[in-house]
Every structure is written in structure tokens, then in C-alpha cells.
Amino acid sequence: MQRAARMKREVEMFARDPPPGISCWLKGDKLDELEAQILGAEGTPYHGGVFKLEIQVTERYPFQPPKVRFVTPIYHPNIDDGGRICLDILKMPPKGGWKPSLNVSTVLTSVQLLMAEPNPDDPLMTDISNEFKFNRPLYLENAKRWTEKHATDNTAGSSTSGPSTSSTSGKENNPQSSEKAESSGEDSDGEELRRAPVPPGVNRLKKRPALQTKSVVKKQCL
């Protein structure tokens, strides 16, 4: 009962005042299963991508952290091929930093921060961590390529499928609309802004958000 009441409040909070670049909603009618999307922040190789996540709320929540994983593939030192995330607040003490005062919004905001500021000293993907530390241009190139391949809507086989997102822009399949756009003097930047998928409740990022949560605690991910 306590978990159900709290999850209702958290979902209502997301609908009323979502964190910048983040959206979250119930998966069907279940209060213990949620879906979320995080927009890649400007200034990172994930910019322009929409990353989908799945969240399972445990029976002992909020006394136990939720289980969170990426559905959209992402090239990141602290996120493995199965979407598992090495993040301190997703683990129980003494090895982790989860507290009952934290919530799903806090977790997703911390994941967003981890995307922008990887922790190569606590990796799940050693090869990517080494790239990040010793060959940053290669890491940036690979992360951007993965983002374009898996997390944008202008490529076939995109992994993102949240509400109100489209798989194509429609411009390629409609030459007339393309000609109208060109004749009206619309520039490419404006076109990109309209094409980028924005799920309900998401505030589009123009700058990296000033996150209010504490920085991710760097502990060994076992």
C-alpha cells in the first residue's frame, strides 16, 4: 500500500514538473513497471539521441532502490551491452548510496548526469573506459556513431519507441513537402528542431541542464 501510494505521487510529479530532458510514465496499468526517456545533452556525444529506459520498482521500495536499465544501446564506460548501469545510488549500503528519501526522479537525473560525466575509474566496459581515458577523440566518435545508429529517429531500426515519437520525419517520403519547406525559406536548424522527438512532459534541452542533485558518488561497481 505504501509503495502504491508513493508511486502514484511520483508519477503525478513527473507529469506536473518533469526534470529537464527526462520523461517517465507507467508501463500499462502496473505501478511497479515504468518506462522513461532521457534526451542526450548538448555538448555530449549523445546529443540528439532519445534513450529509452525500463524501471522495475521492487516490493521493498522505497527502502530498496528500483532496478533501472537502458533499452536503447549506448556507448558508455558505465553502461554495459545489457543496459545495466553502474551507479552508486542503484545499490544498497554499505557498498551503495541508496536512501529511502531518494526517488525515481532522482535516479533518472543521476543517470542523465552520468551520461554527461562518465566515471572511467569504475567501468562496466573496460575497452570503452580505456578509450575515454587514453583516446578521447575515438571514444567521442564511437559514442556519436552509436547515438546516430540506435537513438535517433532518422535511421532504420531505431530502438526508441516512446509516446509521440515518429520513426521518420516524412520529408524523404514526401517531395512536395520538401519543396514547400525550401520555398518558404526554412533553414535546416529549424527543420531539425521540429524533427527531434519530444515525448509528452519533456522540456527540450538547448543547454545542458543545471542539475540539482549531488554528483554521482564514485565507488567500485561489483
Side-chain angles (χ1 to χ4, degrees):
M1 182 64 69
Q2 180 180 2
R3 182 186 64 163
R6 172 155 173 167
M7 289 311 304
K8 287 181 180 179
R9 291 196 302 270
E10 291 196 29
V11 171
E12 291 173 357
M13 179 180 67
F14 262 108
R16 183 175 62 254
D17 187 24
I22 299 174
S23 61
C24 185
W25 60 93
L26 291 176
K27 186 176 181 179
D29 297 329
K30 299 180 180 180
L31 287 173
D32 59 348
E33 294 185 13
L34 300 95
E35 294 179 310
Q37 285 183 345
I38 298 178
L39 301 185
E42 185 175 350
T44 74
Y46 312 111
H47 177 58
V50 181
F51 296 86
K52 182 178 178 181
L53 301 91
E54 288 183 347
I55 304 168
Q56 289 186 341
V57 181
T58 62
E59 288 287 342
R60 297 189 62 242
Y61 183 83
F63 302 104
Q64 191 176 61
K67 297 179 180 179
V68 184
R69 77 173 190 93
F70 273 79
V71 176
T72 305
I74 180 171
Y75 196 85
H76 194 286
N78 308 111
I79 304 166
D80 69 11
D81 292 336
R84 295 182 304 168
I85 307 166
C86 184
L87 184 63
D88 181 68
I89 64 172
L90 290 177
K91 296 176 288 185
M92 291 288 290
K95 294 182 179 180
W98 174 258
K99 299 178 182 178
S101 59
L102 302 178
N103 54 36
V104 174
S105 178
T106 306
V107 169
L108 291 176
T109 304
S110 296
V111 172
Q112 184 187 54
L113 177 61
L114 184 67
M115 290 171 62
E117 300 179 7
N119 178 12
D121 296 323
D122 185 18
L124 281 178
M125 304 296 287
T126 304
D127 292 344
I128 300 177
S129 175
N130 289 336
E131 277 186 10
F132 183 88
K133 289 191 290 186
F134 305 118
N135 194 345
R136 188 68 60 87
L138 180 60
Y139 158 75
L140 294 173
E141 179 184 347
N142 286 332
K144 184 177 181 181
R145 179 166 52 84
W146 273 51
T147 298
E148 293 173 349
K149 180 179 180 180
H150 299 290
T152 57
D153 70 340
N154 58 354
T155 56
S158 171
S159 298
T160 58
S161 58
S164 300
T165 60
S166 59
S167 59
T168 61
S169 65
K171 183 176 179 180
E172 294 80 3
N173 298 326
N174 192 343
Q176 294 181 353
S177 63
S178 176
E179 294 175 358
K180 290 181 181 179
E182 293 176 359
S183 63
S184 62
E186 295 172 348
D187 56 33
S188 60
D189 290 338
E191 185 67 14
E192 287 298 325
L193 287 174
R194 289 193 300 276
R195 288 169 55 191
V198 182
V202 171
N203 298 329
R204 186 184 298 277
L205 288 176
K206 292 186 178 180
K207 297 181 179 180
R208 287 179 58 186
L211 301 178
Q212 301 300 319
T213 57
K214 297 181 180 179
S215 298
V216 177
V217 179
K218 298 181 180 181
K219 292 188 177 181
Q220 184 178 8
C221 188
L222 299 179

